[in-house]
Amino acid sequence: MARSDWEAVIGLEVHAQLLTDSKIFCGCSTAFGAPPNSQTCPVCLGLPGSLPVLNERVVEFGVRLGLALNCTIREHSVFARKNYFYPDLPKGYQISQHELPLCENGHLVIDTPEGEKKVGIIRAHLEEDAGKNLHDPEGGPSRVDLNRAGVPLMEIVSAPDIRSSDEAVEYLKNLRSILVYIGVNDGNLEEGSLRCDANVSVRKRGETGFRTRVEIKNLNSFRFLKQAIDFEIERQIRVWEEGGQVVQETRLFDAQAGVTRSMRSKEEAQDYRYFPEPDLPPLRVDEALVARVRESLPELPREKQARFVREYQLSAYDASVLVADKAVADYYEQAVAAYGKNPKTVANWVINEVLRLIKENPEGIRATRAEPERLAALLRLLDEGRINAGSAKAILEEVHRTGEEPEAVMRARGLEQVSDVGVIEEAVARVIAANPAELEKYRAGKKAVFGFFMGQVMRELKGQGDPKLVSEALRRALDS
Amino acid sequence: MNPTDLTLRELADALAAGELSSEEATRACLDRIRATDERLGAFLHVAEETALARARESDRRRREGNALGALDGVPVALKDNISTAGMPTTCASRILEGYVPPFDATVARRLGDAGAVVLGKVNLDEFAMGSTTETSAYRVTRNPWDLSRSPGGSSGGSAAAVAARQVYGALGTDTGGSIRQPASHCGVVGIKPTYGRCSRYGVVAYASSLDQVGTFGRTVEDAAILLQAIAGHDPLDSTSVSEPVPDWVAATRGASVEGMRLGIPKEYFVQGVDPEVEGAIRAAIATLVSLGAKVEEISLPHTEYAIAAYYVVAPAEASSNLARFDGIRYGLSVREGGLRDVYLKTRAAGFGPEVKRRILAGTWALSSGNYEQYSIRAQKVRTLIRRDFEEAFKRVDAIVTPVAPTAARRLGEKAEDPVEAYLADVFTLACNLAGLPGMSVPCGFTSKGLPVGMQLLGRPMDEATLFRVGAAYQQATDWHRQSPPEVA
């Protein structure tokens, strides 16, 4: 049976750390990188008798996230205990939400080759993070760091609406972009402030039910997400086609080998014995809070993309590249404002040049010292014919590194374009005088030799001649 | 006269009048603990040095005219499931042997802020699971009225220490009767306020939705003075209520039951209640009538389901609350083998049989497949019991019942049969399930000289009525003035 007879059914579960200053149930700092256990108190250490108190800021962030994902915000949601034993879980249970989550029934729109697609969000709920077990590579005793215990998380569960690894990547990219836009998450997959698990099953095209699904963990990059899902789809199709049964299990993605491996089966799955958390009253979110948060929501990526297309006459693709990172979009708009015209040109420069310069930089657009005003100044030099496009790119690279004014760089490096017709005509005369043979050919009708003369004149002008003026002067001289 | 013969109020007056110093009172208590506690077994930890230091600070404040109030300089004891910074807090369990909390429970802090002198920590059933104090991993506490008998539990150490005049008052916790029942068995006053009245922050949880801190005193007023100091909203406990705390101490002064309507629930006067106990309660009711109260029979039809509901809800929460005792961070840790071995061996060695029994029962009640049938149903029963009380309180201002079907039991009598032990909690559980305030007031003795307590139940947040009824009753009776002979 052909691969095309099968389709994948994928749902993603994403854990997003909320960027509050303090933990979800105590006042400890959430700052990353402090010495182990230095950001703890009786509550997040789970000392006997300690009790959780909900951080109101976390609720606000949760509502923000829910609204940005088009969810219904429950007026009344309930915290529950998820019970299991693990050294990084100081109370022996995680406070989460189970039956009545804060956010429900949302969706997120992604672009696919077939057009826009809505991926459902079943729910998004609040919970606390666990600590971290630190294992000694030498085989000594393991230790536990509880700095992360109690850091607020939102678990966002998509509907099984995703049909390919590309769609999954697109979903995660869009989700990440939204989370960063609304300021609730830093979008860092590698450091784990955004974590993704995938539920994957396959079925024959035309089937309406679902076949057994497998949960894949440890997908901490877009590439791993794609690789793991692709591997899993192929694996499951093979199992079914060979007459086997896919077993319900949790699999771990081995990034080095590029395969998923069985971690635990359904039979080994834990019974979490959820029950309502008696230490916390039901969470009430009143309409006023929802209204206030809704009011404060920024323009979201897709809205911004549509506006860029409309307002700046960009292509949908260019707009989508610019809005993917809010900081880039802001940079672009500031550059357009500073330049005051031709937003399409600005977009080309941002997409092709500025983004290339910051490509490998984790700080993104913040890393460049070529601020929007400087980019605009550079483009003006280009307009005025004082530099050519090649020089402009060289100047931008230096401005990016040093933060110097483009004009200063132009002068210092002697890159100002020669626009003095007299100077150009002199250079043209010298070149023609030095190449009588080529002149003969040209005059004999070999017009292609024009390119040779053009190159020679530009060389004479050290590459800084205004190409338009050079070309005009050359024609005048050759055709006279 | 020995200072320990004074009530808390009398001591407070003597301190205020300069007739006695806190240090003298504290030393008298320490002497009495030394003289009696080998037989009584109330204390798990006596903080002699810090107590004397606190007493001297109190005396200094008073000399300088900065006395803090009625509790300033008054020696008290805390049940050992209430966290005390710098003082061991064991919950009478091996698993917390040697654990010293780095913080005070809110109620402990508030007592300290009021100037009270904490003499030490007193015994309880392990993690407050039990009603005889016999499940303590450390020692047996005896009833000061008959040393062959249990003081009741789980706050047996608190009740015994107050009854034996080792301290002027004590804090306990009550999840299913753990204050009221030992108070009844030891002939002292014990009050469990409305759920949420006192902060649970720092109180080691047994069953979070039922646990509540309360106080013991020799008189209703003494219990009120202590409760006044510890009650009130605490931002560290999200289940603590924000309602203001009325002046309960004032409510006890010149209290009257004139015109008050008291309900007598027929379901609490049934077969199995010791006739001597029932006789004492009936006599107490007659006294209240003679003081002007109106009495009517009421019905609380779902009472019989309280035990079943309680023994699902409480163990379920306990199974989760006690999961943190895993040998990883504090307390006992049996470091043998791998992680799984550490869990199994630590918990096998650290918990006693009753705690294990409840963890198992609770884990079972929360397991998938059982949750609907047991935990959800138990919550429904809870709602029905709450409604029973709501109906009753439309007609009456307070409810009067026995605290326990019998007076104090002999030590070891029922250790073999947990179910029979659970049945003895029948009259105290509903109060916790409904979150109501409940108080035990001494109201007589059996022919063997064992104290009997009457239970007063009130509307949510209406401790004041209980204090009024109890104080009016004590103005007319002298049961609370009797001293236990065994530790004289």
Side-chain angles (χ1 to χ4, degrees), chain B residues 195-230:
Chain B
Y195 183 80
R197 252 313 180 195
C198 291
S199 169
R200 292 185 296 114
Y201 187 77
V203 178
V204 183
Y206 157 25
S208 314
S209 74
L210 302 165
D211 293 344
Q212 186 56 201
V213 180
T215 63
F216 290 89
R218 276 172 232 168
T219 67
V220 170
E221 187 187 8
D222 289 0
I225 292 170
L226 278 169
L227 193 64
Q228 195 87 52
I230 62 168

Side-chain angles (χ1 to χ4, degrees), chain A residues 82-107:
Chain A
K82 179 180 181 178
N83 294 282
Y84 64 96
F85 285 92
Y86 206 58
D88 68 8
L89 191 70
K91 297 186 294 297
Y93 55 85
Q94 177 195 32
I95 303 178
S96 179
Q97 294 191 305
H98 184 54
E99 282 180 0
L100 301 174
L102 178 61
C103 312
E104 291 176 318
N105 301 326
H107 68 265

Side-chain angles (χ1 to χ4, degrees), chain A residues 46 49 81 83 90 93 271 279, chain B residues 200 202 320-321 324 329-330 368:
Chain A
R81 292 187 184 176
N83 294 282
Y93 55 85
D271 178 354
D279 289 332
Chain B
R200 292 185 296 114
S320 176
N321 284 331
R324 68 188 64 199
R329 290 163 305 280
Y330 44 76
S368 71

Side-chain angles (χ1 to χ4, degrees), chain B residues 329-346:
Chain B
R329 290 163 305 280
Y330 44 76
L332 181 73
S333 181
V334 182
R335 297 274 163 119
E336 286 170 21
L339 177 62
R340 201 180 151 80
D341 299 303
V342 172
Y343 285 154
L344 294 177
K345 289 177 182 175
T346 298

